[in-house]
């Protein structure tokens, strides 16, 4: 093995190796959020018409509905910043990635608690509670894999070096 190849093995850098998987997440996240935001605004008038009776009965549900819209837009903006910083290999990109995952955990917990509390408003919300619980589990598993990787990996430390 030559000296340069040996140095690359000991000090990996670049968006290769296991860093490919978070890169896919960073690229797909804004696209997914953009589709979600577009869907929200396309269906907004119809949704409001159908949800108006529930919004009149529950301030909590109204706050949840509009809060979700604002959070989706905020996440879209955040994920676009992450995308730019990630491909510019900025030092703060790993922190933003971890922050995004932790933010999703918090949102999934809020979602789970909200749907559990809406049972009296909507009747049987077990499907939404189950879906929220599975989303939370998925996000926690993602965090258990990628948070330590972004904190401990030599490749991450050697790749994200720009100020």
């Amino acid at each position: 093995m030559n000296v340069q190849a040996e140095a690359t093995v000991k000090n990996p850098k670049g968006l290769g190796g296991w860093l490919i998987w978070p890169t896919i997440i960073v690229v797909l996240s804004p696209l997914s959020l953009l589709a979600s935001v577009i869907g929200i605004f396309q269906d907004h008038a119809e949704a409001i018409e159908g949800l108006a009776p529930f919004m009149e009965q529950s301030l909590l549900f109204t706050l949840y509905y509009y809060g979700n819209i604002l959070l989706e837009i905020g996440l879209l903006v955040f994920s676009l910043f992450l995308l730019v910083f990630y491909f510019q290999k900025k030092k703060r990109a790993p922190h933003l990635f971890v922050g995004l995952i932790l933010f999703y955990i918090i949102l999934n917990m809020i979602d789970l608690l909200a749907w559990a509390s809406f049972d009296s408003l909507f009747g049987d919300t077990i499907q939404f509670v189950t879906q929220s619980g599975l989303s939370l589990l998925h996000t926690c598993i993602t965090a258990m894999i990628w948070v330590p990787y972004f904190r401990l990996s030599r490749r991450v430390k050697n790749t994200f070096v720009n100020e």
Side-chain angles (χ1 to χ4, degrees), residues 59-73:
L59 176 63
L60 180 63
F61 179 72
T62 305
L63 292 173
Y64 173 79
Y65 179 78
Y66 287 110
N68 246 354
I69 293 172
L70 291 175
L71 286 172
E72 289 277 338
I73 294 167

Side-chain angles (χ1 to χ4, degrees), residues 64 68 71 104-116:
Y64 173 79
N68 246 354
L71 286 172
Y104 270 115
I105 289 174
I106 292 167
L107 289 179
N108 285 325
M109 287 191 314
I110 291 169
D111 213 31
L112 179 62
L113 293 172
W115 280 111

Side-chain angles (χ1 to χ4, degrees), residues 3-120:
V3 176
Q4 186 177 10
E6 190 174 311
T8 303
V9 169
K10 288 184 179 179
N11 294 314
K13 83 185 229 191
L15 298 176
W18 287 106
L19 205 49
I20 288 294
W21 297 108
T23 302
I24 292 168
I25 293 170
V26 167
V27 170
L28 292 181
S29 191
L31 296 174
S32 172
L33 287 163
L34 180 62
S36 179
V37 168
I38 289 171
I40 287 170
F41 286 109
Q42 284 178 340
D43 300 335
H44 181 68
E46 186 177 312
I48 290 296
E49 185 179 312
L51 295 173
F54 302 110
M55 289 182 173
E56 290 171 6
Q57 289 179 351
S58 173
L59 176 63
L60 180 63
F61 179 72
T62 305
L63 292 173
Y64 173 79
Y65 179 78
Y66 287 110
N68 246 354
I69 293 172
L70 291 175
L71 286 172
E72 289 277 338
I73 294 167
L75 277 170
L76 174 59
V77 171
F78 186 88
S79 68
L80 290 171
F81 276 108
L82 173 58
L83 182 70
V84 170
F85 289 158
Y86 194 87
F87 283 103
Q88 289 178 346
K89 298 178 182 167
K90 300 278 188 183
K91 280 185 179 181
R92 67 184 89 145
H95 302 291
L96 292 175
F97 185 83
V98 168
L100 183 66
I101 291 173
L102 296 178
F103 193 62
Y104 270 115
I105 289 174
I106 292 167
L107 289 179
N108 285 325
M109 287 191 314
I110 291 169
D111 213 31
L112 179 62
L113 293 172
W115 280 111
S117 72
F118 294 149
D119 198 46
S120 62

Side-chain angles (χ1 to χ4, degrees), residues 22 25 97 100-102 104-105 135-150:
I25 293 170
F97 185 83
L100 183 66
I101 291 173
L102 296 178
Y104 270 115
I105 289 174
S135 292
L136 178 59
L137 178 64
H138 175 264
T139 307
C140 286
I141 291 169
T142 301
M144 288 188 296
I145 295 168
W146 294 115
V147 170
Y149 179 80
F150 271 83

